Amino acid sequence: MTLFVNGIPASLAPEEICASGSPQHFLRIGALDKNTKSRFAGTLDELKVFNKALTADQVKLIMDTEPGRIDEKTPLIQCAFNGKIDCISSAGPVLANAAYVVFRPAVIGKGASFLRHGYDRAGRLTISDVFGTNGNELSASFFFIPGTAPATDHQERGLLASRSGKRMWSLFRQGGKLIFDVSGKRISADISGWKTDHPVHIAAIYSRSAGTMSLFLDGKHAVSAELPTFPQEAAKSALFIGDMPEGNTYSITQAEGIIDELRIFSSALTEKEILAEIARKNDPSVLSDSSGKWMIAETPASHKEEKLWSLDG
């Protein structure tokens, strides 16, 4: 029996080494038993349980490689919209409330079409109780196929927005401008050349660490500005797709177009990563992509190592 602390074997007195107990059928984390006095007062992270005895070198390998760590480029939210509401978050499926969303040919398969269906029937999708869509770093990547031309449509058309407490951002088009609003600070890009039924890739990014907010169109930088001061983020967020955040049944602020391959990240994508997002439309495997899901998962410590259970997030 060996105990390692920070990768270094610890000394154990003979009385501290006990005989093996009876076989157990569950793993208790953070307490010895149901007695509240035995509960651990602290934080546990990167727990890994192996079905073999690790050597000292293997323990150091686990400490260095952190195999359970989630890549920060894993999407927080991913909606392929392949003919259905198929949004998933980094914690699994999400609760989505759709109002008159239809599916039409898009960049890959069928995208979600958000348009006006009459006086009292709005097209909108709301994802409630999600985490991180108003964090300190955020990127939204998606394809949009406009159903109305910017030259003739001067109404505000909501594409994407998120609200968490007093912190909010929104992305909408109005006339020949695509506008990105973060806590009241706005930047805009020229979209007067957009054509109906012609897909364009949009990436809206802000980074508190860099202090900037930016728009990219078809992988090319369009505009940037200094990021405003953020109000406090609430515990949970709501994500609004295809309409303005304050839109309702009787408003006329629907996107009037098709949104496809929506992915939200908790990091600021680079120009190279944005181009990789655009290239995904040529990869047929994205139709069944479930990389937005992560939970307790069986992962190898390294290419040569045995399987382990990893708890992260």
Side-chain angles (χ1 to χ4, degrees):
M1 178 177 176
T2 308
L3 174 67
F4 290 86
V5 178
N6 289 331
I8 302 173
S11 299
L12 291 175
E15 62 271 16
E16 294 175 311
I17 301 177
C18 58
S20 299
S22 59
Q24 299 296 304
H25 302 285
F26 61 88
L27 177 66
R28 190 185 299 278
I29 303 172
L32 296 176
D33 51 39
K34 295 181 179 180
N35 189 334
T36 57
K37 294 182 179 180
S38 72
R39 290 179 181 172
F40 173 65
T43 302
L44 294 172
D45 194 18
E46 291 294 323
L47 169 68
K48 306 168 184 70
V49 180
F50 293 81
N51 60 354
K52 60 178 292 184
L54 299 181
T55 65
D57 288 339
Q58 289 171 329
V59 170
K60 292 180 180 179
L61 174 65
I62 301 307
M63 291 174 57
D64 294 337
T65 58
E66 295 188 313
R69 182 70 61 191
I70 299 301
D71 188 341
E72 65 176 357
K73 294 303 186 290
T74 298
L76 282 173
I77 302 287
Q78 177 170 292
C79 304
F81 290 136
N82 187 30
K84 59 183 178 179
I85 300 296
D86 53 3
C87 297
I88 55 175
S89 76
S90 54
V94 296
L95 177 62
N97 180 20
Y100 297 97
V101 177
V102 297
F103 294 91
R104 297 183 175 175
V107 177
I108 301 177
K110 291 184 177 181
S113 179
F114 300 93
L115 45 86
R116 190 70 178 163
H117 291 270
Y119 175 67
D120 61 351
R121 294 190 299 165
R124 174 177 177 165
L125 175 66
T126 301
I127 300 178
S128 304
D129 296 337
V130 291
F131 297 89
T133 58
N134 285 79
N136 292 329
E137 312 282 324
L138 185 122
S139 299
S141 164
F142 63 97
F143 288 94
F144 180 65
I145 305 176
T148 58
T152 58
D153 186 356
H154 300 285
Q155 174 66 44
E156 282 188 349
R157 301 292 182 190
L159 303 181
L160 199 61
S162 182
R163 179 188 290 127
S164 177
K166 294 182 179 180
R167 183 181 294 191
M168 190 180 87
W169 59 266
S170 59
L171 183 65
F172 60 96
R173 64 186 181 110
Q174 185 173 24
K177 298 292 184 181
L178 177 67
I179 301 167
F180 185 30
D181 183 309
V182 180
S183 296
K185 176 69 174 288
R186 292 184 173 186
I187 57 175
S188 62
D190 181 23
I191 58 170
S192 58
W194 280 10
K195 299 178 181 179
T196 56
D197 301 323
H198 183 79
V200 60
H201 183 268
I202 300 172
I205 300 167
Y206 69 72
S207 169
R208 191 170 188 178
S209 60
T212 58
M213 53 190 291
S214 306
L215 280 173
F216 288 77
L217 298 178
D218 284 332
K220 297 180 180 179
H221 176 260
V223 61
S224 292
E226 184 178 346
L227 192 68
T229 303
F230 272 17
Q232 184 65 35
E233 181 186 17
K236 293 183 180 180
S237 306
L239 185 67
F240 308 97
I241 305 171
D243 198 357
M244 300 295 285
E246 65 276 8
N248 57 50
T249 303
Y250 302 101
S251 64
I252 54 173
T253 54
Q254 287 74 44
E256 292 297 324
I258 298 171
I259 293 177
D260 195 22
E261 288 298 307
L262 169 65
R263 282 152 65 88
I264 308 288
F265 298 84
S266 61
S267 60
L269 296 181
T270 65
E271 187 169 345
K272 182 178 179 180
E273 289 166 338
I274 293 170
L275 292 173
E277 285 294 296
I278 297 174
R280 293 178 73 252
K281 72 177 183 179
N282 299 316
D283 182 1
S285 67
V286 302
L287 295 178
S288 59
D289 185 6
S290 61
S291 60
K293 296 180 180 178
W294 52 270
M295 51 193 70
I296 297 178
E298 200 172 15
T299 314
S302 69
H303 294 298
K304 297 180 181 180
E305 189 52 86
E306 297 288 334
K307 298 281 186 174
L308 59 87
W309 284 101
S310 175
L311 180 62
D312 181 63

